[in-house]
Amino acid sequence: MDIITLAAIAGNLNAIGYGVATIGPGIGLGILIGKTIEGTARQPELGGRLQTLMFLGLAFVEVLALLGLVAGFLFQ
């Protein structure tokens, strides 16, 4: 195999790796937001506090997705 073919294969594997890396944060975001809505429905007076904690959790979950993207570029 020549260098161009190997580079194309590596690029495709990086794209697949990032796609797989986004599955975990996607599931995490769905659970996080769903539970926040559920908690707000059960106790509306805590809605503001739950929303604040949800945004903090969103930041941590999004860091996982960004790490997957950066790792794809670093390890190619």
Side-chain angles (χ1 to χ4, degrees):
M1 294 187 152
D2 59 347
I3 299 294
I4 296 172
T5 306
L6 290 176
I9 292 172
N12 290 335
L13 290 177
N14 285 340
I16 291 170
Y18 178 63
V20 171
T22 59
I23 291 173
I27 293 171
L29 286 174
I31 292 171
L32 180 67
I33 294 170
K35 293 297 183 177
T36 302
I37 291 171
E38 183 180 333
T40 303
R42 289 175 184 251
Q43 292 187 338
E45 65 274 5
L46 292 178
R49 186 167 182 195
L50 289 174
Q51 185 178 14
T52 302
L53 291 173
M54 180 191 72
F55 285 131
L56 182 63
L58 280 170
F60 288 128
V61 171
E62 284 298 322
V63 165
L64 293 175
L66 290 174
L67 282 175
L69 177 65
V70 170
F73 286 116
L74 286 179
F75 301 120
Q76 67 177 357

